[in-house]
Amino acid sequence: SSPSNTRSDEPIYEKTTAVPSSVVSSEPSSRHSDVPTQLSSGIPSFALSAFPTHVDSIVPLLAKSVGPTLSTTLLPSLYPSITQSKAPTSSPSREPTTVPSYTHSFLPTFASDIPSSVSSNWPTTASSYTPTPLPSSFPSTKPTNRRSSSPTPSPTRNPSRSPTLIPTNVPFNPPSAAPSSSPTPVPTGTPSSFPSTASPTDLPTRSPTLKPSSSPTTGITASPTTMISDLLSSVAFDGGREFKDLSSYQSRARAWLESQEDVYMYEMPFADRLIQRYALACFYFATNEVSNQVTDYFFGEAVPGWAETTNWISSEHECDWYGIQCEDETITGIGMYNNGLTGKVPPEVALLSQSLTFFDVYSNMVHNSGDEETHFLGELTNLRYLLLGQTYFEYDGIPESIGRLKYLEELDCSYSLFGGSFQGSVFENKPNLRFLVLSGLFLGSPIPREIGELPSLEEFYIDSADLTGDLSFIESMTESSPISKMWLDYNPGLSGTIPAAIGRLINLQSFSLVESSLSGNIPPEIGMAQSLEEVWLYSNNLSGPVPDEIGNLLYLHTFEIDSNDITGVMPNDVCDLTLYGWLSTLAADCDEVACPCCTSCYSALSEKSEIFDGNGDTGASLEGNMGDSMKFGNVAHGKEKTSKMSLSKYNGSIQSSQATHHLKHMPH
């Protein structure tokens, strides 16, 4: 065909591979080109189909480029484009040729580098070399099949306004998602006779990375010491300032933890494990051989240490330390009953608040005073058992922080230094409270109605608590109340009558209110509380006769009403209980009450200085003294001239009950 005088729709580029005439056609392709048709006029449109053996004629064409080079890394098309396309076609218009039309890796970059003559016997097939998708540090010698968005890296001598590369007909094949495990060392195809602009090396300049340069982080990346320091600073109650004093219990706890940095690889997360060990270490260093007001009074400078320290502050798992209870390596209980603790219970115990349900420091010489040192109790929001009895916890009343413990089941603050108003608000929202011991406190106020409204209360002990007022709180108890034991002894300020509502407490088994100021008659309704087994009412101001309804208490085995103003005759139904029932202890003022069936008789005139047995014989005088209150700054509570059975009841029954209670909950 003859040269055309019309402008070509596609620029001419160097041809590197001879294409058989059967493949080359002057017919325009129906394929859309990705390159705008901006070539200058005068370029033959048949250039690709009639490429001469000698390439002298196309050198000037390449040299005439005057525009900037637009980039593309795709191969030139075999056919001129008819219309301009802004995007590559999604699929080829015909089956791809089996022989690539152009091999970019062996072409010269500059037009002047093309030899003036090329042998006509150059290969008719292109190299079978296929580039690997592995990235390399040297420029790729093969074009990629993906259109590049960056300018061509090699500029032409004379800038061209049109792109220097034209997309090929080769269908788009995305590169492999993952790099090849090893690069192809050398091309596998037949080398071209064209000179290469850069001789490829046998290997890439650096080996590809087949795996990360460092192993993935599966544990702690920083040193354990740094981790410990950072984590403890984040949970420190004083913002880390407590660690500035190297003698503080917090600093001692941290120093020990840093020396034990190899023990944290258990099933628990590192942070959780570290925090619970830190809390226990603080507890140990704050209460072992640490002085306070109490120890200064009793021991001076020779402060005793813990009685039992098995495994504490060691590499053993903290769940194996004495007195510690755990579930799934998480601390749920601390039981230090009578273990010689001194100093103050530290607030760091609250770091265990998410799991701690049992906290027992009963009968220890720890001294925590006021809001600041008792506030942490309110943080232990999951506590079920809180036993602070016979300690030196000091507060004006019952600590309000205890009011936040809505899951409490057992609370024992007996013979501590809690004193002041008996706030009923502390006992609101306590649906599970079953066991409440407030004996030996200095409350100086009535029992609030909130106590009677506790729906689960089973045992209530508040003897020697300096109570005032009356027993009206019983009126707020219902027939469904599970209360079984109610002991309110040694409260001379407690007056008034025994409410008739006591008769609806069908679960009440033991009722004790001795050496107080009750007055009036024993209500006959008491005979309706048919579960009663023990009734102690001696040393009050009760009057009137013994009601016959007492005979309905078939399970009654102790009934003591001496040292009152009760008169009359002991009912026959009551005496029958000594013969046919369980009644084994029946005590009265036999000079005021005719009682042929009493097992113990007292004389109202002798102020209980004499004890009579059932046969009327005079027994020995008995002085009962409960002894010291076992607490600093408190007064001794005692009993004066009481009966053997009553003394046994108090010294034996309640202490046995408390001992059994604590032994039941001891973790070891």
Side-chain angles (χ1 to χ4, degrees), residues 186 256 259 466 468:
V186 294
W256 172 73
S259 71
D466 195 28
T468 61

Side-chain angles (χ1 to χ4, degrees), residues 141-155:
T141 59
K142 285 286 186 177
T144 63
N145 288 333
R146 187 183 302 276
R147 164 175 275 185
S148 172
S149 60
S150 59
T152 250
S154 300

Side-chain angles (χ1 to χ4, degrees), residues 279-326:
L280 289 185
C282 285
F283 181 78
Y284 177 85
F285 288 116
T287 61
N288 186 34
E289 298 185 24
V290 179
S291 65
N292 57 30
Q293 276 186 285
V294 183
T295 60
D296 290 345
Y297 179 84
F298 286 107
F299 304 111
E301 296 181 358
V303 182
W306 284 14
E308 179 62 70
T309 60
T310 301
N311 290 337
W312 274 80
I313 312 303
S314 72
S315 59
E316 295 295 326
H317 196 289
E318 55 273 21
C319 292
D320 296 325
W321 295 1
Y322 171 79
I324 301 302
Q325 295 174 325
C326 288

Side-chain angles (χ1 to χ4, degrees), residues 177-241:
S180 171
S181 61
S182 61
T184 303
V186 294
T188 58
T190 305
S192 169
S193 59
F194 289 98
S196 174
T197 57
S199 299
T201 58
D202 290 342
L203 293 173
T205 56
R206 61 178 181 178
S207 300
T209 302
L210 299 180
K211 58 182 180 180
S213 56
S214 61
S215 300
T217 301
T218 57
I220 303 166
T221 56
S223 68
T225 300
T226 301
M227 291 284 290
I228 290 171
S229 179
D230 292 346
L231 184 56
L232 295 188
S233 295
S234 70
V235 300
F237 287 173
D238 197 21
R241 287 181 291 274

